[in-house]
Amino acid sequence: MSTSAAQSELRLVVLGRAGAGKRSVVQTILGLQDSETGTEATVVQECSKHRGEAAGRQVVVVSSPPWFGSGCDPEERRRHISSFIALSSPGPHAFLLCVPVNQPADAEAKALDVLTELFGPSAVSNHTVVLFTCTEELAEDEPLEEYLVTWRKDLRALVERCDDHYHTLETRGGEAEQARAVEELLEKVEQAAREGGTPHLSCALYREVEEKIRERQVEIARRRRGEDSQPEDNITEEEMEAVRDEAERSVADLNVNIESVFPSAVSPSSPAHASSLWGWWEKLKAWMRWLPMMVRVEALLGSLVSLFMGGQYGGMVGATVGSVATEVGRRKVKKTK
């Protein structure tokens, strides 16, 4: 990639759990059709990279498969992270963390921990935008900001970690309103980068990756020429750019270490698994159908989860699940009025 090309394009990395709407986000930003973003199965299994124009800007969008749930195999997690790093080198302008408003946010908090560990605190505070999805769950007269402040402490905590950078691309209007939502998102990305003092995320890991990619570009360009050895100075930028994608894919196997965020071993006495949390969450939602209005009962639900899960983690999870369950009950009552 030439220096001028790297400077002129806006690079975005879309992250999110399965079902968080990443594919729709990519399509909305770049105006793509379903056939241009691959099947849902492909999106889940491999990183994808798309280029296009959005709001008068050249934009590159890299979408990563879900990797921050506890159910993800550690080797798969490492491969997915390595891949989105290579595909977004020399560094993204922003990570777009897709967060469904109707689910607990424990897994997304883990994702922010990983970004911090790999790239430093500025990756979260200056280069991450929380992109809320599933907003059709909100009442038409309920602003997203009011919902976060009033009902969802866990989602609000995510936003605060990202220095209040959040947005949604889901609108109830037509194409013009959606186009405006995309433009506002890109403006927020650029503003966050300016506030951080850097045009895009730059750190030791991304510099190392970019160096590896350039070395591979030279090797591939030489091979295409049929030359065993050739000074790099004799290879043109056009030749380097032509093999960029192949070079990125060939180095997408990095030795990233996130053991402190995702320990390889978990104590048998501590059921600190997102899958277990999700199981309890589903049971609570079913239980809620038989209860009357559930306003201001976070303490009750937190106690129930703490009782079943036990320990300090149970108390923390209870507060999150209680907050979400309160909102589910509130909406059920509202719909019956």
Side-chain angles (χ1 to χ4, degrees):
M1 178 183 299
S2 66
T3 302
S4 59
Q7 291 176 343
S8 61
E9 66 183 15
L10 198 62
R11 292 179 296 279
L12 308 173
V13 176
V14 180
L15 306 174
R17 66 173 73 190
K22 298 190 298 293
R23 187 168 176 235
S24 177
V25 165
V26 175
Q27 292 172 343
T28 299
I29 292 175
L30 296 178
L32 302 178
Q33 303 300 316
D34 287 349
S35 60
E36 297 176 281
T37 53
T39 65
E40 192 66 35
T42 302
V43 172
V44 170
Q45 294 173 3
E46 302 291 341
C47 280
S48 64
K49 183 174 183 177
H50 300 275
R51 286 186 171 88
E53 183 174 326
R57 302 162 175 84
Q58 293 301 311
V59 179
V60 172
V61 182
V62 175
S63 181
S64 175
W67 49 260
F68 45 78
S70 65
C72 184
D73 177 77
E75 184 58 29
E76 284 291 291
R77 178 181 292 118
R78 184 192 62 78
R79 186 171 66 85
H80 292 329
I81 293 174
S82 297
S83 184
F84 86 65
I85 292 174
L87 295 181
S88 62
S89 186
H93 293 76
F95 296 103
L96 305 181
L97 181 60
C98 297
V99 180
V101 298
N102 59 349
Q103 297 180 18
D106 301 79
E108 286 76 13
K110 284 278 191 182
L112 295 185
D113 292 341
V114 171
L115 297 183
T116 300
E117 178 156 323
L118 291 177
F119 312 120
S122 67
V124 172
S125 60
N126 299 326
H127 297 284
T128 299
V129 176
V130 176
L131 197 59
F132 288 112
T133 61
C134 301
T135 58
E136 69 276 3
E137 296 290 334
L138 303 182
E140 290 189 14
D141 59 347
E142 183 172 33
L144 176 59
E145 184 175 3
E146 179 181 324
Y147 170 76
L148 299 178
V149 173
T150 305
W151 302 105
R152 295 300 303 276
K153 297 176 183 177
D154 56 333
L155 298 184
R156 186 62 207 167
L158 284 182
V159 170
E160 290 174 353
R161 288 183 65 179
C162 299
D163 201 23
D164 283 340
H165 300 133
Y166 72 95
H167 193 63
T168 182
L169 293 175
E170 298 172 350
T171 67
R172 292 186 168 93
E175 292 184 3
E177 187 175 341
Q178 192 165 71
R180 179 56 187 162
V182 172
E183 183 175 4
E184 289 176 352
L185 171 63
L186 301 185
E187 289 172 353
K188 289 181 179 181
V189 167
E190 292 171 335
Q191 180 181 353
R194 285 195 299 270
E195 292 172 354
T198 57
H200 61 78
L201 176 62
S202 179
C203 62
L205 179 55
Y206 265 110
R207 288 191 290 271
E208 177 185 345
V209 171
E210 183 64 20
E211 184 176 344
K212 289 182 178 180
I213 291 173
R214 189 163 186 87
E215 290 173 356
R216 285 294 294 141
Q217 285 177 285
V218 173
E219 293 173 6
I220 297 170
R222 287 174 178 169
R223 187 182 69 231
R224 289 191 176 184
R225 281 183 173 187
E227 300 171 346
D228 294 332
S229 62
Q230 183 74 18
E232 182 179 341
D233 292 343
N234 292 341
I235 298 177
T236 66
E237 285 296 331
E238 288 75 14
E239 289 177 291
M240 296 283 278
E241 185 65 22
V243 299
R244 173 80 188 193
D245 289 343
E246 183 179 348
E248 289 175 349
R249 293 289 181 183
S250 68
V251 303
D253 189 18
L254 311 173
N255 186 27
V256 293
N257 183 6
I258 52 174
E259 283 296 310
S260 65
V261 181
F262 295 98
S264 56
V266 179
S267 170
S269 62
S270 175
H273 293 281
S275 57
S276 298
L277 169 60
W278 189 248
W280 284 115
W281 165 240
E282 290 298 321
K283 291 178 183 178
L284 280 170
K285 285 202 298 183
W287 181 54
M288 290 287 292
R289 298 189 184 102
W290 301 96
L291 294 179
M293 187 171 184
M294 296 288 290
V295 179
R296 311 291 187 188
V297 293
E298 296 176 27
L300 171 60
L301 291 178
S303 298
L304 287 171
V305 174
S306 299
L307 176 64
F308 284 114
M309 299 186 67
Q312 181 178 1
Y313 184 82
M316 179 182 66
V317 171
T320 298
V321 174
S323 178
V324 180
T326 299
E327 172 61 5
V328 172
R330 182 182 75 90
R331 293 185 178 283
K332 184 172 181 61
V333 171
K334 188 172 184 178
K335 289 179 180 180
T336 60
K337 289 183 177 180

